[in-house]
Amino acid sequence: MFVPSTLRRLALAGIAVLGLCSMSVAAELPAFKTGFIFTTHHSPFQVAASRGEAFRDLGVYLKPLVERESYELIKDGKPIAILDLVVAKSGSETATLFAQKHLDMGIASITAIMAGIDKGTPMKIVCPLQTEGMALVVPKDSSLTSWESLLQRVKDSKEPVKIGFHSPTSAPKIVLEGALVKAGLKVTLDPSDSKADVLLVDLKETSNLLASLTAGQVEAVVGPSPFPEVAQTRGIGKVLVNLGELPPAGQWANFPCCVGVASEEMIAKHPEVVRAFVALISRV
């Protein structure tokens, strides 16, 4: 049975009106810039975005407006905000984006955020996300087999041993540096300091970790998941030690890495949205 053309036009018009209404509702919602980094540590937020309504039963979920770019934040069945996603390269970049007021909420390493707060950036940590998930990686064919063998390699070397990291305020870099200093070694960021035992090399972003290791620019790299696991899977490198296991025993266990963050203005003016964001990344 065919619908008469007049009825068909009315039906199409009705659909169009509904679409416009939906767009109007979305347009009335407040929109906030929300940052994250492509790392396993931020997978709760990434999964929440990719799975959307699969998490409806959790009471808070994301509904895509533009895939990978913009989402409605739904709480108790009601849209309360639009989250426009911003992908950052590192925690230090995330802190800078908050300082420049280009972010309202986000996820980043606790050390980067603490450094930003110390510099006066008006933002606050609103929840922890995970601990550990950081490792020291060496080339697959490296003769190094343990933390102790690395320390011996450093002591035997006539020049500083180069170890790469992705951000000066990243948790992996800070934990590794602390463990090296605890072991009685001199650590530097200055390439001209030939008297140092270890030269930490800033590789600028996580995407350069494995490339630099493969190219032989550094003898090891330290970073967050999934880069250590990817190195092993691709046959590029091997995990020498998980940072939570570094000596002294228990010193670095459960070291907090990534946290949820919001600007002070966001917390003051839109606490409901911040609470929903926290619920989203903590329940998924």
Side-chain angles (χ1 to χ4, degrees):
M1 177 178 179
F2 291 94
V3 179
S5 59
T6 300
L7 292 180
R8 182 177 293 138
R9 286 197 295 270
L10 288 172
L12 291 174
I15 293 173
V17 169
L18 288 174
L20 289 173
C21 289
S22 177
M23 292 174 62
S24 176
V25 170
E28 292 174 359
L29 293 173
F32 305 105
K33 297 291 186 181
T34 306
F36 71 100
I37 304 166
F38 279 119
T39 170
T40 304
H41 294 185
H42 297 189
S43 57
F45 186 65
Q46 296 175 60
V47 171
S50 64
R51 297 292 302 279
E53 295 188 41
F55 298 107
R56 182 189 294 269
D57 291 343
L58 297 180
V60 59
Y61 65 94
L62 297 177
K63 179 180 179 180
L65 295 175
V66 179
E67 290 285 352
R68 301 185 181 183
E69 293 183 19
S70 185
Y71 295 79
E72 281 186 342
L73 178 61
I74 312 294
K75 180 182 179 182
D76 298 327
K78 175 186 176 183
I80 61 172
I82 293 174
L83 304 187
D84 293 323
L85 307 193
V86 176
V87 181
K89 296 177 182 178
S90 66
S92 59
E93 182 180 57
T94 300
T96 298
L97 290 172
F98 270 106
Q100 296 171 340
K101 296 187 177 181
H102 293 325
L103 280 181
D104 301 296
M105 299 187 295
I107 306 171
S109 62
I110 186 172
T111 46
I113 298 305
M114 289 171 65
I117 292 173
D118 287 344
K119 292 178 181 178
T121 300
M123 58 184 174
K124 290 184 177 180
I125 294 171
V126 293
C127 70
L129 194 63
Q130 47 68 242
T131 61
E132 299 191 17
M134 305 173 286
L136 182 66
V137 180
V138 295
K140 184 180 180 181
D141 58 357
S142 173
S143 61
L144 300 178
T145 58
S146 65
W147 174 251
E148 289 71 24
S149 67
L150 172 65
L151 296 183
Q152 190 60 51
R153 165 78 178 87
V154 171
K155 292 174 183 177
D156 293 341
S157 179
K158 295 181 180 180
E159 57 185 24
V161 171
K162 297 178 181 178
I163 301 178
F165 62 91
H166 74 280
S167 170
T169 55
S170 67
K173 179 260 184 183
I174 289 175
V175 170
L176 176 67
E177 185 175 9
L180 290 169
V181 171
K182 283 277 188 180
L185 300 177
K186 181 183 178 182
V187 182
T188 185
L189 295 171
D190 181 4
S192 66
D193 187 357
S194 60
K195 295 183 179 180
D197 297 305
V198 177
L199 171 61
L200 295 181
V201 181
D202 188 355
L203 301 176
K204 304 304 180 181
E205 55 184 278
T206 51
S207 61
N208 292 330
L209 290 173
L210 302 188
S212 298
L213 188 69
T214 303
Q217 296 174 351
V218 292
E219 295 186 46
V221 293
V222 64
S225 296
F227 299 96
E229 294 81 2
V230 170
Q232 292 193 142
T233 301
R234 293 182 179 176
I236 295 172
K238 60 184 179 182
V239 172
L240 192 67
V241 61
N242 289 308
L243 300 195
E245 300 170 357
L246 289 174
Q251 172 79 41
W252 311 107
N254 295 318
F255 187 90
C257 186
C258 291
V259 293
V261 191
S263 69
E264 291 184 356
E265 181 179 359
M266 184 72 189
I267 294 171
K269 294 183 177 180
H270 306 280
E272 181 186 10
V273 176
V274 175
R275 284 193 291 266
F277 174 70
V278 170
L280 178 74
I281 60 177
S282 62
R283 295 176 186 175
V284 171

